[in-house]
């Protein structure tokens, strides 16, 4: 069944849409949640919550890409869970490092998710990413959107860890320069 047919089932409030989404994108959403949370018990709950949010938001939303829409819901839900301290003790806190690393490009705010400037900056970053080499864009998205580790990205793309780290460093530097050029002083 195609994504548009599944979305139509959501619009018709047919509960079969949830099981179809789970079969088509469940593993993908689990991977995103796992990359953020690292706790298997939390992963399942996070994905279930994401599916519920999709059920509640379609309609009125009509996503162009169901996969990207579900990934965004899952990612945001996992980050919220992480920030609330729902996860248990972790040996390697890579999520905090990724959030900290990316946060340096965003303005400080007590509630940065809701500020108009934050949304404008994210839109500008998306525009910037659309104009760079695809490998750099993929590396950036895998690291800062899907929370994949540098070694996992390197293995997935057939690159060295050093090359991935260098691509991330250069892309962040270019984004910062681009944002400053556009009037966002970070």
């Amino acid at each position: 069944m195609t994504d548009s047919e599944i979305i139509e089932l959501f619009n018709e409030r047919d509960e079969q849409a949830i099981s179809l989404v789970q079969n088509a994108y469940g593993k993908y959403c689990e991977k995103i949640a796992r990359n953020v949370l690292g706790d298997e018990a939390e992963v399942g709950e996070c994905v279930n919550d994401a599916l519920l949010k999709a059920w509640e938001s379609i309609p009125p939303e009509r996503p162009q890409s169901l996969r990207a829409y579900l990934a965004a819901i899952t990612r945001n839900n996992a980050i919220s869970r992480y920030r609330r301290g729902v996860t248990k003790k972790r040996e390697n806190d890579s999520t905090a490092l990724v959030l900290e690393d990316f946060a340096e490009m965003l303005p400080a705010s007590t509630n940065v998710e809701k500020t108009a400037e934050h949304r404008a900056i994210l839109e500008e970053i998306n525009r910037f990413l659309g104009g760079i080499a695809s490998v750099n864009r993929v590396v950036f998205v895998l690291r800062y959107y899907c929370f994949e580790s540098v070694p996992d990205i390197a293995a997935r793309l057939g690159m060295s860890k050093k090359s991935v780290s260098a691509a991330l460093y250069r892309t962040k530097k270019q984004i910062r320069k681009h944002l400053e050029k556009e009037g966002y002083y970070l």
Side-chain angles (χ1 to χ4, degrees), residues 71-97:
I73 292 173
T74 303
R75 177 184 169 274
N76 292 340
N77 189 33
I79 290 170
S80 292
R81 283 176 168 272
Y82 176 82
R83 286 185 175 153
R84 283 191 312 258
V86 174
T87 59
K88 308 294 183 253
K89 179 180 157 189
R90 296 184 50 175
E91 293 176 24
N92 180 7
D93 200 353
S94 60
T95 301
L97 294 173

Side-chain angles (χ1 to χ4, degrees), residues 4 7 35 89-90 102-103 131 142 169-171 183:
S4 55
I7 291 169
N35 287 342
K89 179 180 157 189
R90 296 184 50 175
F102 191 68
L142 288 174
Y169 174 78
R170 281 191 309 271
T171 302

Side-chain angles (χ1 to χ4, degrees), residues 6 10 15-17 37 57 65 74 85 90-91 105 114 124-126 129-130 145 148 156 158 160 177-178 182-183:
I6 294 172
F10 272 105
E15 292 180 15
Q16 181 185 7
L37 298 169
S57 64
S65 168
T74 303
R90 296 184 50 175
E91 293 176 24
M105 288 188 276
K114 294 184 180 177
E124 197 59 46
I125 289 171
N126 282 333
L129 290 173
Y145 187 80
E148 288 197 18
R156 177 188 272 209
S160 71
K177 186 176 180 181
H178 175 77
E182 294 299 317

Side-chain angles (χ1 to χ4, degrees), residues 133-143 153 156-157:
S134 64
V135 69
N136 291 337
R137 180 175 48 251
V138 169
V139 166
F140 188 87
V141 168
L142 288 174
R143 180 69 175 144
I153 295 168
R156 177 188 272 209
L157 300 178

Side-chain angles (χ1 to χ4, degrees), residues 2 20 34-35 50 52-53 64 71 78 90 99 101-102 109 112 117 124-125 134 139 141-142 147 151 155 174 176 180:
T2 67
L20 290 170
R34 189 174 297 108
N35 287 342
L52 178 61
K53 285 181 183 179
Q64 291 182 350
R90 296 184 50 175
L99 290 173
D101 195 26
F102 191 68
S109 171
V112 78
E117 185 178 18
E124 197 59 46
I125 289 171
S134 64
V139 166
V141 168
L142 288 174
F147 285 81
Q174 291 170 341
R176 178 177 290 281
E180 288 173 353

